[in-house]
Amino acid sequence: MVEQHWPAYWNPKQETLPKEELHALQGIKLQGHVQRAWQQSPFHRRLYESAGLTPDKIKGLDDLRRLPFMTRENWMACQAEQPMFGDMLTRDVDDAIRYHLTSGTSGRQPLRVLDSRKDWAWIAEMWCYGFWGFGIRPSDRVFFAFSYGSFIGFWGAHYCCEKIGCMVLPSGNMTTEGRVKQLVEMAATVVCATPTYALRMGQVAAELGIDLAKDGKVRRLIVSGEPAVPATRKLLEEMWGAKVGDTAGMTEIGTIMIFECEQQPGGTHIIEDHFIEEVIDPETLEPVPMGGRGERIVTSFGRGFIPLIRYRTRDLVQRIPHDSCSCGRTGDIYQGGILGRVDDMKCIRGTNVYPRAVETIIREYADIEEFQILLTREAGIRDEITVQVELKPDSAESWQKLEKNLGKDLAEAHEGLRFNLSKAAEGELPRFELKAKRMQDRRGD
Amino acid sequence: MSESSRTGQKDLLGRELSEEEREVLDLYQRLRKLAARSDLAPCISMNAKQAMVMLWNACTDLGLIHEEAEVD
């Protein structure tokens, strides 16, 4: 096969567009998008009428903040009032070619979404920005450690790889052992999984006597579905002998809106010609200045069936300028990708605890295979935090020593807060393929 | 978006189209017309729709159009 010289960008014209022009483009798209939502979605018309707004007031990006927020709550309420999809669809249900659901990780009623043929093609297209940007090319063999169910997950990435011309290796309902064997046997060069499940595959490979870094051909791991903390990424890169590229998306838009480029700047570029991303203070709802942390608000131009305009995601992010990366893209960066959820923070005896921070410390301990964080309320008044730890089967580490050191590290990172530690039996703690759920708050039980 | 910016020789930001942009936009518009017809055999209609949405992506990525084809 003749080797073709490809550009580094999927879309060289727009990915390097000067910021001023990018904002002008977003403004033009916003106008049209709001107009269509008003005309075709009763939900949006009601939302805008209640804010005293008509589409003619939206003349460009400067008018963005005049638009009211969409929230998961008003979306769920709309679906509950008019099952199954509420009245936010802009087209007839029969025009849809796909039906998906949110994962239900939060324990609430899942959101139901529909996509047209065009929407579905766009969903794959956004993944193309990310995959191409992270160096995936037609000669790659891409293994999907994904169950291909109603959760949207890597569905769009699968079609993206077909479009790029990669060899797609779907693993559907295979066992972890079967997946590990197949990706080695088929010489997969790229693996897509959640960070948690990529770790799990590495652990199972070790149990099978397979050294993924030596026996496998994987050169890129593309992770999505949950925050990838730096310590976990480091662990994955050593385990697989591959670069780890972070991406993040959501069922509400159907695809990814951010991706890590080959330069690995420590964050993910926003696909700004298809999305408008804002960062606000979740309490005051005011914009957070560049570099500050806040809640991300997304407006997506791609899914025609369900217009998503100023949607409150509850994702915690820190936006930094595009030029902090040397790749030349003009899409700004979320430092560290999605940092967590704005409501992830737990207050234990006056100290703020983020699951991501706890995981970062735990992943520094190579002997720990899995963990769970349990919050309880003792005697109806005193909050306790317990970390259950499962060691690797071949761990030679003394539990007493690990308990002492880990307890000290966790306390030092949390203003002296005492963490209880308990040792779980081998295989006792849950494993995850999709989004990991490692914190249980039982204080209200 | 005005009809002129979709069928003319400028992109959404008012810039002249390159030769390949004109070509891809022309293909999209022709496929869109084909996809809207209801008198075609399924093998023509469905494949035209499928091809049209791919070209929609290219035109949208390049900032040539911002529209919902609605005939997919």
Side-chain angles (χ1 to χ4, degrees):
Chain A
M1 198 172 77
V2 178
E3 200 60 35
Q4 186 165 349
H5 178 71
W6 297 103
Y9 313 106
W10 176 254
N11 181 0
K13 180 181 178 185
Q14 307 294 59
E15 286 186 82
T16 57
L17 202 62
K19 212 67 176 173
E20 200 174 305
E21 291 176 40
L22 200 46
H23 288 162
L25 183 67
Q26 289 174 327
I28 291 165
K29 290 190 174 188
L30 181 67
Q31 267 185 297
H33 210 51
V34 169
Q35 185 71 45
R36 181 170 177 273
W38 167 273
Q39 285 170 347
Q40 293 176 237
S41 156
F43 169 90
H44 284 85
R45 180 177 284 239
R46 201 165 55 244
L47 189 65
Y48 297 156
E49 279 177 347
S50 68
L53 191 80
T54 47
D56 58 295
K57 301 278 196 319
I58 306 301
K59 299 185 191 310
L61 195 58
D62 290 344
D63 297 315
L64 179 66
R65 294 191 62 221
R66 302 177 77 157
L67 293 160
F69 293 116
M70 271 179 80
T71 63
R72 185 186 173 105
E73 287 69 30
N74 61 27
W75 190 334
M76 283 197 301
C78 159
Q79 286 190 168
E81 282 161 21
Q82 295 188 46
M84 299 241 310
F85 302 101
D87 61 353
M88 59 168 57
L89 303 184
T90 61
R91 299 180 63 175
D92 192 277
V93 172
D94 290 344
D95 289 343
I97 63 152
R98 296 295 296 221
Y99 165 64
H100 285 280
L101 294 167
T102 49
S103 62
T105 325
S106 58
R108 292 180 294 181
Q109 179 200 345
L111 296 176
R112 304 180 195 95
V113 295
L114 293 175
D115 287 298
S116 69
R117 195 191 299 258
K118 185 279 297 172
D119 294 350
W120 196 247
W122 172 79
I123 282 167
E125 186 75 5
M126 294 304 97
W127 280 99
C128 287
Y129 274 68
F131 271 57
W132 195 270
F134 195 57
I136 313 307
R137 296 293 180 266
S139 57
D140 276 309
R141 297 181 179 192
V142 186
F143 185 90
F144 285 91
F146 170 58
S147 58
Y148 290 85
S150 58
F151 175 56
I152 208 156
F154 283 108
W155 269 111
H158 172 111
Y159 290 98
C160 139
C161 288
E162 288 187 355
K163 189 188 296 198
I164 289 175
C166 304
M167 183 194 292
V168 173
L169 308 169
S171 66
N173 63 351
M174 289 172 79
T175 61
T176 304
E177 190 178 311
R179 283 172 169 163
V180 168
K181 286 178 179 169
Q182 190 181 84
L183 72 90
V184 172
E185 182 185 74
M186 284 302 294
T189 57
V190 181
V191 168
C192 302
T194 61
T196 296
Y197 193 66
L199 278 178
R200 180 72 193 136
M201 283 193 287
Q203 290 158 359
V204 169
E207 288 163 22
L208 293 170
I210 297 170
D211 181 342
L212 289 171
K214 287 187 184 146
D215 304 329
K217 299 276 185 228
V218 178
R219 64 183 188 92
R220 297 277 192 281
L221 263 179
I222 294 189
V223 296
S224 201
E226 54 189 33
V229 303
T232 303
R233 291 171 56 107
K234 186 168 169 278
L235 203 60
L236 285 172
E237 293 197 336
E238 287 167 2
M239 185 182 261
W240 287 81
K243 282 171 95 169
V244 173
D246 192 14
T247 63
M250 56 200 305
T251 306
E252 290 93 323
I253 59 171
T255 187
I256 55 165
M257 62 282 156
I258 53 175
F259 67 89
E260 185 166 0
C261 70
E262 272 204 283
Q263 305 298 319
Q264 293 188 293
T268 47
H269 287 279
I270 301 167
I271 308 175
E272 291 200 56
D273 57 321
H274 288 269
F275 301 95
I276 301 173
E277 291 272 334
E278 305 167 73
V279 183
I280 65 162
D281 179 318
E283 301 299 325
T284 65
L285 308 183
E286 290 299 313
V288 169
M290 186 69 85
R293 287 187 177 201
E295 178 184 349
R296 58 173 282 265
I297 307 295
V298 62
T299 296
S300 158
F301 299 124
R303 180 179 263 157
F305 236 99
I306 301 172
L308 201 78
I309 302 170
R310 297 203 86 204
Y311 182 68
R312 290 193 66 174
T313 66
R314 312 301 289 167
D315 285 339
L316 183 70
V317 290
Q318 181 181 17
R319 187 169 180 156
I320 59 171
H322 64 90
D323 55 12
S324 45
C325 177
S326 59
C327 76
R329 287 179 179 82
T330 50
D332 286 339
I333 292 168
Y334 283 143
Q335 182 75 29
I338 304 295
L339 301 174
R341 306 281 292 167
V342 291
D343 33 19
D344 266 355
M345 190 195 78
K346 302 292 178 185
C347 187
I348 312 294
R349 301 198 296 273
T351 300
N352 294 339
V353 176
Y354 285 95
R356 179 185 168 94
V358 174
E359 179 173 359
T360 298
I361 293 165
I362 290 174
R363 294 296 184 207
E364 296 293 334
Y365 288 79
D367 282 68
I368 296 178
E369 175 139 320
E370 194 47 86
F371 71 96
Q372 280 276 307
I373 305 165
L374 189 62
L375 307 181
T376 52
R377 183 156 289 157
E378 306 300 325
I381 185 166
R382 195 182 72 252
D383 288 353
E384 290 289 342
I385 181 164
T386 303
V387 180
Q388 293 176 285
V389 171
E390 189 180 317
L391 299 181
K392 286 183 178 164
D394 59 351
S395 169
E397 176 81 64
S398 129
W399 168 248
Q400 283 75 20
K401 189 178 162 198
L402 189 144
E403 183 184 22
K404 186 181 164 201
N405 291 341
L406 179 58
K408 184 167 163 278
D409 287 347
L410 288 168
E412 281 178 0
H414 293 87
E415 300 166 348
L417 179 70
R418 187 191 70 252
F419 282 70
N420 305 305
L421 295 174
S422 71
K423 186 181 175 187
E426 188 181 329
E428 182 185 341
L429 299 183
R431 271 33 174 205
F432 306 91
E433 180 182 338
L434 293 174
K435 296 181 180 187
K437 192 169 171 57
R438 293 200 174 91
M439 180 178 272
Q440 296 180 57
D441 191 346
R442 295 185 184 158
R443 289 177 293 179
D445 292 357
Chain B
M1 191 201 58
S2 71
E3 188 66 14
S4 62
S5 63
R6 186 155 50 76
T7 57
Q9 304 299 302
K10 301 251 168 79
D11 69 9
L12 292 174
L13 292 175
R15 296 170 299 190
E16 294 294 325
L17 302 196
S18 66
E19 192 181 331
E20 63 264 27
E21 285 177 337
R22 281 198 298 274
E23 193 169 348
V24 77
L25 182 61
D26 177 56
L27 280 170
Y28 164 70
Q29 288 168 339
R30 287 163 58 194
L31 282 166
R32 187 167 178 254
K33 274 187 193 158
L34 201 58
R37 284 174 56 177
S38 54
D39 60 332
L40 303 173
C43 69
I44 303 173
S45 177
M46 300 308 169
N47 281 306
K49 288 174 193 285
Q50 200 71 20
M52 189 233 354
V53 299
M54 294 301 167
L55 271 293
W56 177 93
N57 266 319
C59 291
T60 301
D61 282 356
L62 295 168
L64 311 184
I65 57 167
H66 178 58
E67 64 181 18
E68 287 291 321
E70 313 240 11
V71 290
D72 52 333

PDB file of all heavy atoms in Angstrom, chain A residues 212-236:
ATOM      1  N   LEU A 212       1.469  -6.678  28.298  1.00  0.00           N
ATOM      2  CA  LEU A 212       0.896  -5.910  27.179  1.00  0.00           C
ATOM      3  C   LEU A 212       1.927  -4.999  26.514  1.00  0.00           C
ATOM      4  O   LEU A 212       1.907  -4.813  25.299  1.00  0.00           O
ATOM      5  CB  LEU A 212      -0.303  -5.099  27.654  1.00  0.00           C
ATOM      6  CG  LEU A 212      -1.554  -5.915  27.993  1.00  0.00           C
ATOM      7  CD1 LEU A 212      -2.589  -5.028  28.667  1.00  0.00           C
ATOM      8  CD2 LEU A 212      -2.138  -6.573  26.750  1.00  0.00           C
ATOM      9  N   ALA A 213       2.827  -4.451  27.301  1.00  0.00           N
ATOM     10  CA  ALA A 213       3.829  -3.534  26.737  1.00  0.00           C
ATOM     11  C   ALA A 213       4.809  -4.268  25.827  1.00  0.00           C
ATOM     12  O   ALA A 213       5.316  -3.692  24.869  1.00  0.00           O
ATOM     13  CB  ALA A 213       4.572  -2.832  27.863  1.00  0.00           C
ATOM     14  N   LYS A 214       5.054  -5.556  26.113  1.00  0.00           N
ATOM     15  CA  LYS A 214       6.020  -6.315  25.300  1.00  0.00           C
ATOM     16  C   LYS A 214       5.339  -7.220  24.289  1.00  0.00           C
ATOM     17  O   LYS A 214       5.771  -7.347  23.146  1.00  0.00           O
ATOM     18  CB  LYS A 214       6.898  -7.173  26.222  1.00  0.00           C
ATOM     19  CG  LYS A 214       7.908  -6.359  27.010  1.00  0.00           C
ATOM     20  CD  LYS A 214       8.846  -7.273  27.775  1.00  0.00           C
ATOM     21  CE  LYS A 214       9.793  -6.434  28.630  1.00  0.00           C
ATOM     22  NZ  LYS A 214      10.128  -7.082  29.870  1.00  0.00           N
ATOM     23  N   ASP A 215       4.266  -7.863  24.716  1.00  0.00           N
ATOM     24  CA  ASP A 215       3.617  -8.869  23.848  1.00  0.00           C
ATOM     25  C   ASP A 215       2.592  -8.255  22.889  1.00  0.00           C
ATOM     26  O   ASP A 215       2.215  -8.892  21.909  1.00  0.00           O
ATOM     27  CB  ASP A 215       2.919  -9.940  24.693  1.00  0.00           C
ATOM     28  CG  ASP A 215       3.879 -10.602  25.671  1.00  0.00           C
ATOM     29  OD1 ASP A 215       5.073 -10.689  25.330  1.00  0.00           O
ATOM     30  OD2 ASP A 215       3.445 -11.006  26.765  1.00  0.00           O
ATOM     31  N   GLY A 216       2.125  -7.054  23.206  1.00  0.00           N
ATOM     32  CA  GLY A 216       1.096  -6.433  22.368  1.00  0.00           C
ATOM     33  C   GLY A 216       1.678  -5.392  21.434  1.00  0.00           C
ATOM     34  O   GLY A 216       2.864  -5.055  21.508  1.00  0.00           O
ATOM     35  N   LYS A 217       0.838  -4.901  20.518  1.00  0.00           N
ATOM     36  CA  LYS A 217       1.277  -3.886  19.545  1.00  0.00           C
ATOM     37  C   LYS A 217       0.580  -2.543  19.772  1.00  0.00           C
ATOM     38  O   LYS A 217       0.666  -1.648  18.936  1.00  0.00           O
ATOM     39  CB  LYS A 217       0.927  -4.356  18.120  1.00  0.00           C
ATOM     40  CG  LYS A 217       1.592  -5.654  17.704  1.00  0.00           C
ATOM     41  CD  LYS A 217       2.989  -5.395  17.188  1.00  0.00           C
ATOM     42  CE  LYS A 217       3.604  -6.689  16.660  1.00  0.00           C
ATOM     43  NZ  LYS A 217       4.949  -6.891  17.178  1.00  0.00           N
ATOM     44  N   VAL A 218      -0.121  -2.429  20.878  1.00  0.00           N
ATOM     45  CA  VAL A 218      -0.915  -1.214  21.116  1.00  0.00           C
ATOM     46  C   VAL A 218       0.006  -0.002  21.300  1.00  0.00           C
ATOM     47  O   VAL A 218       0.920  -0.032  22.114  1.00  0.00           O
ATOM     48  CB  VAL A 218      -1.820  -1.391  22.353  1.00  0.00           C
ATOM     49  CG1 VAL A 218      -2.613  -0.117  22.630  1.00  0.00           C
ATOM     50  CG2 VAL A 218      -2.775  -2.567  22.142  1.00  0.00           C
ATOM     51  N   ARG A 219      -0.255   1.041  20.501  1.00  0.00           N
ATOM     52  CA  ARG A 219       0.568   2.260  20.599  1.00  0.00           C
ATOM     53  C   ARG A 219      -0.242   3.444  21.113  1.00  0.00           C
ATOM     54  O   ARG A 219       0.290   4.454  21.526  1.00  0.00           O
ATOM     55  CB  ARG A 219       1.203   2.589  19.247  1.00  0.00           C
ATOM     56  CG  ARG A 219       0.210   2.917  18.150  1.00  0.00           C
ATOM     57  CD  ARG A 219       0.817   3.172  16.806  1.00  0.00           C
ATOM     58  NE  ARG A 219      -0.228   3.651  15.894  1.00  0.00           N
ATOM     59  CZ  ARG A 219      -0.519   4.926  15.699  1.00  0.00           C
ATOM     60  NH1 ARG A 219       0.152   5.862  16.307  1.00  0.00           N
ATOM     61  NH2 ARG A 219      -1.492   5.264  14.874  1.00  0.00           N
ATOM     62  N   ARG A 220      -1.566   3.305  21.081  1.00  0.00           N
ATOM     63  CA  ARG A 220      -2.442   4.372  21.565  1.00  0.00           C
ATOM     64  C   ARG A 220      -3.602   3.752  22.353  1.00  0.00           C
ATOM     65  O   ARG A 220      -4.229   2.800  21.884  1.00  0.00           O
ATOM     66  CB  ARG A 220      -3.079   5.146  20.403  1.00  0.00           C
ATOM     67  CG  ARG A 220      -2.116   5.889  19.496  1.00  0.00           C
ATOM     68  CD  ARG A 220      -1.751   7.230  20.103  1.00  0.00           C
ATOM     69  NE  ARG A 220      -1.068   8.087  19.155  1.00  0.00           N
ATOM     70  CZ  ARG A 220       0.220   7.988  18.820  1.00  0.00           C
ATOM     71  NH1 ARG A 220       0.960   7.040  19.351  1.00  0.00           N
ATOM     72  NH2 ARG A 220       0.761   8.838  17.961  1.00  0.00           N
ATOM     73  N   LEU A 221      -3.870   4.356  23.528  1.00  0.00           N
ATOM     74  CA  LEU A 221      -5.053   3.987  24.296  1.00  0.00           C
ATOM     75  C   LEU A 221      -5.953   5.209  24.293  1.00  0.00           C
ATOM     76  O   LEU A 221      -5.501   6.296  24.684  1.00  0.00           O
ATOM     77  CB  LEU A 221      -4.677   3.724  25.748  1.00  0.00           C
ATOM     78  CG  LEU A 221      -4.434   2.311  26.253  1.00  0.00           C
ATOM     79  CD1 LEU A 221      -4.049   2.377  27.726  1.00  0.00           C
ATOM     80  CD2 LEU A 221      -5.682   1.458  26.105  1.00  0.00           C
ATOM     81  N   ILE A 222      -7.171   5.061  23.841  1.00  0.00           N
ATOM     82  CA  ILE A 222      -8.090   6.206  23.869  1.00  0.00           C
ATOM     83  C   ILE A 222      -9.123   5.943  24.953  1.00  0.00           C
ATOM     84  O   ILE A 222      -9.834   4.934  24.904  1.00  0.00           O
ATOM     85  CB  ILE A 222      -8.733   6.438  22.495  1.00  0.00           C
ATOM     86  CG1 ILE A 222      -7.619   6.852  21.526  1.00  0.00           C
ATOM     87  CG2 ILE A 222      -9.834   7.498  22.584  1.00  0.00           C
ATOM     88  CD1 ILE A 222      -8.065   7.334  20.189  1.00  0.00           C
ATOM     89  N   VAL A 223      -9.123   6.823  25.943  1.00  0.00           N
ATOM     90  CA  VAL A 223     -10.004   6.612  27.085  1.00  0.00           C
ATOM     91  C   VAL A 223     -11.125   7.647  27.089  1.00  0.00           C
ATOM     92  O   VAL A 223     -10.958   8.765  26.609  1.00  0.00           O
ATOM     93  CB  VAL A 223      -9.228   6.641  28.425  1.00  0.00           C
ATOM     94  CG1 VAL A 223      -8.241   5.485  28.485  1.00  0.00           C
ATOM     95  CG2 VAL A 223      -8.514   7.957  28.643  1.00  0.00           C
ATOM     96  N   SER A 224     -12.248   7.224  27.645  1.00  0.00           N
ATOM     97  CA  SER A 224     -13.411   8.105  27.713  1.00  0.00           C
ATOM     98  C   SER A 224     -14.334   7.570  28.797  1.00  0.00           C
ATOM     99  O   SER A 224     -14.143   6.465  29.296  1.00  0.00           O
ATOM    100  CB  SER A 224     -14.130   8.123  26.357  1.00  0.00           C
ATOM    101  OG  SER A 224     -14.925   9.277  26.231  1.00  0.00           O
ATOM    102  N   GLY A 225     -15.334   8.361  29.165  1.00  0.00           N
ATOM    103  CA  GLY A 225     -16.381   7.868  30.064  1.00  0.00           C
ATOM    104  C   GLY A 225     -16.207   8.241  31.505  1.00  0.00           C
ATOM    105  O   GLY A 225     -17.164   8.225  32.268  1.00  0.00           O
ATOM    106  N   GLU A 226     -15.006   8.555  31.919  1.00  0.00           N
ATOM    107  CA  GLU A 226     -14.761   8.979  33.294  1.00  0.00           C
ATOM    108  C   GLU A 226     -13.450   9.758  33.330  1.00  0.00           C
ATOM    109  O   GLU A 226     -12.612   9.599  32.429  1.00  0.00           O
ATOM    110  CB  GLU A 226     -14.703   7.781  34.248  1.00  0.00           C
ATOM    111  CG  GLU A 226     -13.708   6.742  33.821  1.00  0.00           C
ATOM    112  CD  GLU A 226     -13.772   5.453  34.632  1.00  0.00           C
ATOM    113  OE1 GLU A 226     -14.857   5.066  35.061  1.00  0.00           O
ATOM    114  OE2 GLU A 226     -12.712   4.835  34.811  1.00  0.00           O
ATOM    115  N   PRO A 227     -13.255  10.617  34.348  1.00  0.00           N
ATOM    116  CA  PRO A 227     -12.015  11.392  34.405  1.00  0.00           C
ATOM    117  C   PRO A 227     -10.795  10.481  34.480  1.00  0.00           C
ATOM    118  O   PRO A 227     -10.816   9.461  35.157  1.00  0.00           O
ATOM    119  CB  PRO A 227     -12.177  12.193  35.702  1.00  0.00           C
ATOM    120  CG  PRO A 227     -13.643  12.252  35.952  1.00  0.00           C
ATOM    121  CD  PRO A 227     -14.190  10.961  35.436  1.00  0.00           C
ATOM    122  N   ALA A 228      -9.751  10.868  33.739  1.00  0.00           N
ATOM    123  CA  ALA A 228      -8.499  10.096  33.759  1.00  0.00           C
ATOM    124  C   ALA A 228      -7.489  10.893  34.570  1.00  0.00           C
ATOM    125  O   ALA A 228      -6.876  11.822  34.054  1.00  0.00           O
ATOM    126  CB  ALA A 228      -7.999   9.878  32.338  1.00  0.00           C
ATOM    127  N   VAL A 229      -7.328  10.548  35.836  1.00  0.00           N
ATOM    128  CA  VAL A 229      -6.408  11.325  36.675  1.00  0.00           C
ATOM    129  C   VAL A 229      -4.965  11.016  36.249  1.00  0.00           C
ATOM    130  O   VAL A 229      -4.684   9.926  35.744  1.00  0.00           O
ATOM    131  CB  VAL A 229      -6.620  11.036  38.190  1.00  0.00           C
ATOM    132  CG1 VAL A 229      -8.046  11.310  38.597  1.00  0.00           C
ATOM    133  CG2 VAL A 229      -6.233   9.621  38.550  1.00  0.00           C
ATOM    134  N   PRO A 230      -4.042  11.975  36.431  1.00  0.00           N
ATOM    135  CA  PRO A 230      -2.664  11.783  35.935  1.00  0.00           C
ATOM    136  C   PRO A 230      -2.010  10.488  36.433  1.00  0.00           C
ATOM    137  O   PRO A 230      -1.328   9.811  35.682  1.00  0.00           O
ATOM    138  CB  PRO A 230      -1.935  13.024  36.460  1.00  0.00           C
ATOM    139  CG  PRO A 230      -3.007  14.061  36.577  1.00  0.00           C
ATOM    140  CD  PRO A 230      -4.242  13.330  36.978  1.00  0.00           C
ATOM    141  N   ALA A 231      -2.242  10.137  37.703  1.00  0.00           N
ATOM    142  CA  ALA A 231      -1.601   8.923  38.233  1.00  0.00           C
ATOM    143  C   ALA A 231      -2.124   7.673  37.511  1.00  0.00           C
ATOM    144  O   ALA A 231      -1.372   6.739  37.242  1.00  0.00           O
ATOM    145  CB  ALA A 231      -1.858   8.821  39.730  1.00  0.00           C
ATOM    146  N   THR A 232      -3.400   7.676  37.180  1.00  0.00           N
ATOM    147  CA  THR A 232      -3.983   6.532  36.461  1.00  0.00           C
ATOM    148  C   THR A 232      -3.428   6.478  35.043  1.00  0.00           C
ATOM    149  O   THR A 232      -3.105   5.409  34.525  1.00  0.00           O
ATOM    150  CB  THR A 232      -5.527   6.663  36.426  1.00  0.00           C
ATOM    151  OG1 THR A 232      -5.994   6.753  37.773  1.00  0.00           O
ATOM    152  CG2 THR A 232      -6.173   5.478  35.740  1.00  0.00           C
ATOM    153  N   ARG A 233      -3.302   7.626  34.406  1.00  0.00           N
ATOM    154  CA  ARG A 233      -2.745   7.679  33.039  1.00  0.00           C
ATOM    155  C   ARG A 233      -1.316   7.138  33.021  1.00  0.00           C
ATOM    156  O   ARG A 233      -0.945   6.376  32.137  1.00  0.00           O
ATOM    157  CB  ARG A 233      -2.732   9.120  32.529  1.00  0.00           C
ATOM    158  CG  ARG A 233      -4.092   9.697  32.271  1.00  0.00           C
ATOM    159  CD  ARG A 233      -3.934  11.180  31.998  1.00  0.00           C
ATOM    160  NE  ARG A 233      -3.014  11.362  30.895  1.00  0.00           N
ATOM    161  CZ  ARG A 233      -3.371  11.741  29.674  1.00  0.00           C
ATOM    162  NH1 ARG A 233      -4.633  11.980  29.427  1.00  0.00           N
ATOM    163  NH2 ARG A 233      -2.495  11.886  28.719  1.00  0.00           N
ATOM    164  N   LYS A 234      -0.553   7.544  34.013  1.00  0.00           N
ATOM    165  CA  LYS A 234       0.848   7.097  34.094  1.00  0.00           C
ATOM    166  C   LYS A 234       0.900   5.572  34.231  1.00  0.00           C
ATOM    167  O   LYS A 234       1.670   4.890  33.546  1.00  0.00           O
ATOM    168  CB  LYS A 234       1.510   7.783  35.298  1.00  0.00           C
ATOM    169  CG  LYS A 234       2.990   7.536  35.435  1.00  0.00           C
ATOM    170  CD  LYS A 234       3.578   8.494  36.483  1.00  0.00           C
ATOM    171  CE  LYS A 234       4.993   8.103  36.851  1.00  0.00           C
ATOM    172  NZ  LYS A 234       5.044   7.026  37.853  1.00  0.00           N
ATOM    173  N   LEU A 235       0.036   5.077  35.094  1.00  0.00           N
ATOM    174  CA  LEU A 235      -0.040   3.628  35.320  1.00  0.00           C
ATOM    175  C   LEU A 235      -0.406   2.915  34.016  1.00  0.00           C
ATOM    176  O   LEU A 235       0.192   1.898  33.646  1.00  0.00           O
ATOM    177  CB  LEU A 235      -1.127   3.384  36.374  1.00  0.00           C
ATOM    178  CG  LEU A 235      -1.106   2.107  37.190  1.00  0.00           C
ATOM    179  CD1 LEU A 235       0.192   2.012  37.968  1.00  0.00           C
ATOM    180  CD2 LEU A 235      -2.295   2.104  38.165  1.00  0.00           C
ATOM    181  N   LEU A 236      -1.372   3.474  33.306  1.00  0.00           N
ATOM    182  CA  LEU A 236      -1.821   2.869  32.041  1.00  0.00           C
ATOM    183  C   LEU A 236      -0.716   2.897  30.990  1.00  0.00           C
ATOM    184  O   LEU A 236      -0.520   1.921  30.249  1.00  0.00           O
ATOM    185  CB  LEU A 236      -3.063   3.601  31.508  1.00  0.00           C
ATOM    186  CG  LEU A 236      -4.378   3.318  32.228  1.00  0.00           C
ATOM    187  CD1 LEU A 236      -5.474   4.255  31.725  1.00  0.00           C
ATOM    188  CD2 LEU A 236      -4.798   1.864  32.032  1.00  0.00           C
TER     189      LEU A 236
END
